[in-house]
Amino acid sequence: MTPPRRRDAWLAVALQLALVAAVAGAAVWLVHHALETLRARGVRSGFDFLFDSAGFSLSEGWIAFDAGQPFWRAFLAGLVNTVRAAVPAVAIAVTVGTLLGIGRLASHALLRGICGAYVELVRNVPLLLQLLMLYFALTQLLPDATEPLELLPGIWLGKGGLALPWPVDGRWEWPERGTFGVTGGAALSPEYLAITLALGFYSAAFVAEIVRAGIGSVARGQVLAAQALGLTGAQELRLVVLPQALRVIVPALTNQLLSLTKNSSLAVAVGYPELVSVANTSLNSTGRAFECIAVVMAVYLALSLAISAAMNRYNAHVALRGWS
């Protein structure tokens, strides 16, 4: 006979699968109904355009794309560009946000004030405005591409973007300053830098508050016990406070990472060729507004579900477990 717990678990899985199937079926029906309505009104519809030649190219990206390739490859290149900007932005947001959150609880009044001022300033100014201001700074205030700043050996910054050493054919290729600019290595465009940095530092302000709340949720007795054991402040934070604070931090952090990924669509404002930018160009080329929007919605839904699944798995790993 099946144990009650196992039976309940199988029942829960079956109900979830049935719900997913129902939602997927409803989505398929809605798409089919919308396409049939458009055809009935004489409007060309369908996703067959995805296999036609796009007729436009992308300014940058990890996937090579030219005008003769199909639309589906353009959407794929746009998706890769979205992920290419979102992943470093997540790293910036989590790292800077954690430091800011800890800084807001520091005993040093000046440090607390600086961290608090950053959080209040950044989170209360719309992300789009910050993105445009950062893009203006990168393209107008930096030196010309022919006279870039050398931040570190082999790292150049100018209006043309950021040049970095990059492995090529098993060896490191270092950027070199030439007559007409920097050549060699990897080049990060101002558009890419603007969206990545804006997303990262904007989200860091929200992550800081999440971290601060998580640390504040740890019982004072745990801190006193760590101090009684003779742990240093850094050891106390790393070994006692943060591991327990994660149970509060991770669920809220999941929502913030989802928001960050979806906010990457604002990159269209500075001309970075991410998913929404590709969809806009495809829509103008084909007139398939419904189809292009549907593709973007489906891709963002898939990205959000993947992030949620990964963070939920991590949350289950770090969650405190009670007595069984």
Side-chain angles (χ1 to χ4, degrees):
M1 184 176 179
T2 305
R5 285 190 177 181
R6 182 175 298 179
R7 184 175 63 249
D8 292 343
W10 280 109
L11 179 60
V13 171
L15 290 175
Q16 291 179 28
L17 291 176
L19 178 61
V20 170
V23 172
V28 171
W29 180 84
L30 286 173
V31 170
H32 175 74
H33 178 71
L35 294 178
E36 288 298 322
T37 301
L38 290 174
R39 292 191 186 101
R41 295 179 179 179
V43 179
R44 291 186 60 192
S45 60
F47 294 92
D48 55 304
F49 77 97
L50 291 173
F51 301 96
D52 298 336
S53 296
F56 61 87
S57 59
L58 302 182
S59 58
E60 62 178 296
W62 281 345
I63 294 182
F65 180 78
D66 57 53
Q69 293 178 320
F71 281 99
W72 69 263
R73 188 174 176 87
F75 279 100
L76 178 61
L79 169 60
V80 172
N81 281 346
T82 295
V83 175
R84 175 177 173 242
V87 171
V90 166
I92 293 172
V94 172
T95 302
V96 176
T98 300
L99 295 176
L100 288 171
I102 296 172
R104 294 208 67 185
L105 298 172
S107 57
H108 196 289
L110 179 60
L111 178 59
R112 286 200 315 272
I114 292 174
C115 293
Y118 178 94
V119 170
E120 295 302 326
L121 174 64
V122 172
R123 72 176 182 172
N124 288 300
V125 176
L127 174 57
L128 180 59
L129 293 181
Q130 296 184 41
L131 173 61
L132 294 175
M133 288 297 294
L134 183 56
Y135 183 65
F136 172 81
L138 289 171
T139 56
Q140 301 297 325
L141 303 182
L142 289 176
D144 291 334
T146 56
E147 299 178 354
L149 295 172
E150 188 174 18
L151 303 179
L152 292 171
I155 301 179
W156 300 85
L157 178 64
K159 290 182 179 179
L162 182 67
L164 302 167
W166 194 257
V168 177
D169 297 330
R171 63 180 182 82
W172 284 91
E173 182 177 274
W174 288 75
E176 296 181 357
R177 178 180 174 180
T179 305
F180 301 102
V182 178
T183 58
L188 304 180
S189 70
E191 293 78 15
Y192 173 77
L193 292 174
I195 186 61
T196 301
L197 295 177
L199 282 175
F201 288 113
Y202 176 78
S203 300
F206 295 90
V207 174
E209 291 299 274
I210 293 170
V211 171
R212 184 171 70 92
I215 293 175
S217 70
V218 178
R220 178 63 180 170
Q222 297 291 318
V223 177
L224 295 176
Q227 293 173 351
L229 291 173
L231 298 182
T232 65
Q235 290 174 329
E236 172 191 317
L237 187 65
R238 180 171 59 89
L239 299 176
V240 178
V241 176
L242 283 180
Q244 296 184 66
L246 284 175
R247 75 187 193 277
V248 174
I249 291 173
V250 173
L253 182 60
T254 300
N255 291 333
Q256 192 56 45
L257 297 186
L258 290 172
S259 178
L260 184 154
T261 304
K262 290 179 285 190
N263 283 339
S264 65
S265 60
L266 293 175
V268 68
V270 295
Y272 178 67
E274 47 73 58
L275 185 63
V276 174
S277 176
V278 170
N280 284 341
T281 306
S282 301
L283 187 157
N284 292 329
S285 300
T286 63
R288 307 287 181 93
F290 173 82
E291 292 83 345
C292 290
I293 295 172
V295 170
V296 172
M297 290 177 62
V299 171
Y300 273 113
L301 176 61
L303 282 176
S304 298
L305 291 176
I307 293 171
S308 296
M311 292 300 291
N312 288 339
R313 186 176 181 85
Y314 181 68
N315 186 47
H317 176 70
V318 301
L320 295 179
R321 286 159 173 82
W323 294 99
S324 58

